[in-house]
Amino acid sequence: MTEHREFLTRRVHSLLGVIPIGLFLVQHLVVNHFAVYGEENFNKAADFMHSLPFRLVLEFGVIFIPILFHAILGVYIVFVARSNTKRYNFFRNWMFLLQRITGIITFVFVVWHVWETRIQLGSQGADYSLMEGILSNPFMFWFYMIGVLSTIFHFANGLWSFCVTWGITQTPKSQKVVTYATVVVFLALSYVGVRTILTFAYGI
């Protein structure tokens, strides 16, 4: 019973990492990328998201609670899982280790980001000038750069684990194909995230 419960829990953990958390990450990156097209365009996109009906219900039911569950279970997995990269220097072993490291970084980054751009502001939504002020600080610039890239890596690499966990990729060939696909996802989303940060910080 214990093994069966743990199996189901990890499957739910994997599922939440893609739906809804992964979908929210992509949506959040795309909305933020409107900054590249000017302050007015970003503020309009941010205002649209902030004015969605039942926003608080959506935030807690679709974003905060799933993220909290995924994060708490993820931290548990980090501390009970054993890495064998020293003994077996295989690519997937290193990806396993990096998934755990980026998971911790992502957790810290998301908690701070939510506090800074959501909780502290209350009912007032974040705008271009807020993000510009945050990212003009060199320390925060690199904090966000590392945090965003870690989050994107954690999601992209998690897609590979999701496909294996749910039996979508069962052969070495299919797993290799998905590996290449997740690299494309990582590079594409990284471009969107980094480009947005550079726009806020330096106006480029």
Side-chain angles (χ1 to χ4, degrees):
M1 284 293 295
T2 302
E3 292 182 358
H4 181 66
R5 191 183 306 114
E6 183 177 352
F7 173 76
L8 289 177
T9 302
R10 293 201 177 207
R11 291 196 106 187
V12 172
H13 175 261
S14 174
L15 179 63
L16 289 177
V18 176
I19 306 169
I21 299 173
L23 293 179
F24 170 71
L25 170 64
V26 174
Q27 172 265 318
H28 193 56
L29 288 169
V30 170
V31 169
N32 288 343
H33 191 66
F34 274 83
V36 173
Y37 306 106
E39 181 175 351
E40 183 179 354
N41 285 314
F42 173 80
N43 287 339
K44 284 183 179 178
D47 287 342
F48 171 77
M49 297 304 300
H50 191 71
S51 61
L52 286 175
F54 308 109
R55 178 175 57 85
L56 290 177
V57 175
L58 290 171
E59 285 182 340
F60 279 92
V62 181
I63 302 170
F64 293 150
I65 293 176
I67 286 178
L68 185 61
F69 179 87
H70 184 82
I72 292 174
L73 185 55
V75 170
Y76 168 77
I77 293 173
V78 166
F79 286 104
V80 300
R82 294 184 178 180
S83 173
N84 61 353
T85 53
K86 291 184 179 180
R87 187 175 178 185
Y88 301 106
N89 190 16
F90 295 131
F91 174 75
R92 268 298 142 201
N93 290 338
W94 282 107
M95 292 299 100
F96 176 88
L97 178 61
L98 287 174
Q99 185 71 359
R100 272 60 195 166
I101 294 173
T102 56
I104 296 296
I105 296 173
T106 298
F107 178 72
V108 174
F109 171 69
V110 168
V111 168
W112 177 258
H113 181 60
V114 170
W115 168 259
E116 190 172 40
T117 62
R118 179 66 181 86
I119 297 176
Q120 278 195 135
L121 297 178
S123 60
Q124 179 184 356
D127 60 10
Y128 189 98
S129 61
L130 173 72
M131 296 309 302
E132 184 180 37
I134 291 172
L135 291 169
S136 61
N137 181 306
F139 174 81
M140 294 307 298
F141 172 82
W142 287 109
F143 176 74
Y144 266 74
M145 190 69 77
I146 294 171
V148 167
L149 289 175
S150 293
T151 303
I152 293 171
F153 176 90
H154 192 75
F155 166 65
N157 191 52
L159 286 175
W160 186 92
S161 301
F162 169 82
C163 290
V164 173
T165 300
W166 285 86
I168 299 173
T169 53
Q170 299 183 4
T171 65
K173 183 178 180 179
S174 63
Q175 292 175 7
K176 188 175 183 180
V177 170
V178 172
T179 296
Y180 289 130
T182 56
V183 169
V184 173
V185 170
F186 172 74
L187 293 176
L189 293 181
S190 292
Y191 170 79
V192 173
V194 170
R195 184 75 174 82
T196 301
I197 292 174
L198 290 174
T199 298
F200 281 130
Y202 301 110
I204 57 175

